[in-house]
Amino acid sequence: KVAREEARVTSMNNCAFETLVFADLFNNVGYLQCRNGDVTNAKSSFANALKIGKNALEQVSGDYKESMIQGYKHIGTIYYNIGIVNAMLGLKEKVIRPLECSVGLQKVALGESHPDIAIVKHNIGTVLVGIGKFDEAISAFLKSLQMVRFAFGNDDCRAAKELFHIGKVHEMRGEYAEAIHVYQETLRIERLTLGVDNAETVMTMY
């Protein structure tokens, strides 16, 4: 009986792993549709990918859950893509929740302070700027900045990138004193890490 139960669980888990492949395929199709401007069908593909992926994860049990860490990362990516598509379709009220789900799943897969999560946070900030949610955008960039500095140090060029985007949001809001303050810190780090003639340094000076 124990052997039969173990075989049943193993079979279910193997099916779940195989099912995730189909989730990835739908996600890739959605990505290509998005690249080609077919946003409505891309949203449908991402929705199918999410449904398949979540069903696959729900089937996994026992020790196999550890092996599904990459599955959480993949589904986090699908949630991110759904948020992006909703933004492209102008569905502002349906943007933030998928992006938050994406970050939550990425943290399960990678840990709280993994540099890859900083990239996701940065991209979320960019999307939020695009739909005019400036407070949320600054919050996302600040969290990304915190993770980058934790991983690479205070004066890393990736920290300067986050600071630049924070300064840009302040500038867009007409908060020029705050923008200049942040740009000056950005410039200090870029001169230190990239040099005075680097294109990014020049852009900050501009």
Side-chain angles (χ1 to χ4, degrees):
K1 285 182 178 179
V2 172
R4 281 201 299 270
E5 178 60 19
E6 287 180 350
R8 185 187 70 81
V9 171
T10 299
S11 177
M12 285 180 59
N13 289 326
N14 287 338
C15 285
F17 292 136
E18 292 170 4
T19 302
L20 274 175
V21 173
F22 288 100
D24 274 345
L25 286 172
F26 271 107
N27 186 56
N28 291 336
V29 168
Y31 177 76
L32 290 173
Q33 289 170 326
C34 212
R35 287 282 301 270
N36 289 328
D38 190 2
V39 182
T40 301
N41 283 326
K43 183 178 180 180
S44 177
S45 296
F46 291 140
N48 285 330
L50 181 62
K51 181 179 179 181
I52 294 168
K54 288 173 72 175
N55 286 340
L57 283 184
E58 288 170 1
Q59 295 173 26
V60 179
S61 60
D63 295 337
Y64 284 84
K65 284 189 179 293
E66 264 319 295
S67 304
M68 292 298 287
I69 292 300
Q70 286 301 312
Y72 287 105
K73 186 176 180 181
H74 290 322
I75 294 175
T77 300
I78 295 168
Y79 268 116
Y80 176 78
N81 289 336
I82 289 172
I84 295 294
V85 164
N86 285 339
M88 293 174 73
L89 290 170
L91 304 172
K92 296 182 181 182
E93 72 283 357
K94 294 184 177 180
V95 172
I96 295 178
R97 185 177 179 278
L99 297 179
E100 288 176 343
C101 289
S102 173
V103 172
L105 287 164
Q106 296 284 0
K107 285 182 177 179
V108 171
L110 302 172
E112 288 285 330
S113 301
H114 195 281
D116 285 357
I117 299 175
I119 295 172
V120 176
K121 277 289 186 183
H122 172 86
N123 291 338
I124 288 172
T126 302
V127 172
L128 292 170
V129 169
I131 62 175
K133 292 186 177 291
F134 297 132
D135 286 340
E136 292 94 331
I138 287 179
S139 177
F141 289 137
L142 284 171
K143 288 176 181 176
S144 180
L145 175 64
Q146 183 181 23
M147 292 177 186
V148 165
R149 282 181 159 167
F150 179 80
F152 304 110
N154 289 339
D155 290 340
D156 187 84
C157 59
R158 281 159 285 205
K161 179 180 179 180
E162 300 307 324
L163 287 165
F164 180 86
H165 281 81
I166 292 168
K168 182 59 68 177
V169 175
H170 283 305
E171 182 183 346
M172 292 171 70
R173 296 175 70 170
E175 299 165 351
Y176 300 122
E178 291 89 341
I180 289 174
H181 176 73
V182 177
Y183 283 148
Q184 285 174 336
E185 176 63 6
T186 305
L187 184 61
R188 182 190 70 80
I189 297 172
E190 287 174 342
R191 282 174 167 168
L192 181 68
T193 59
L194 302 174
V196 295
D197 295 327
N198 182 272
E200 292 185 23
T201 307
V202 173
M203 179 56 68
T204 303
M205 292 172 65
Y206 171 80

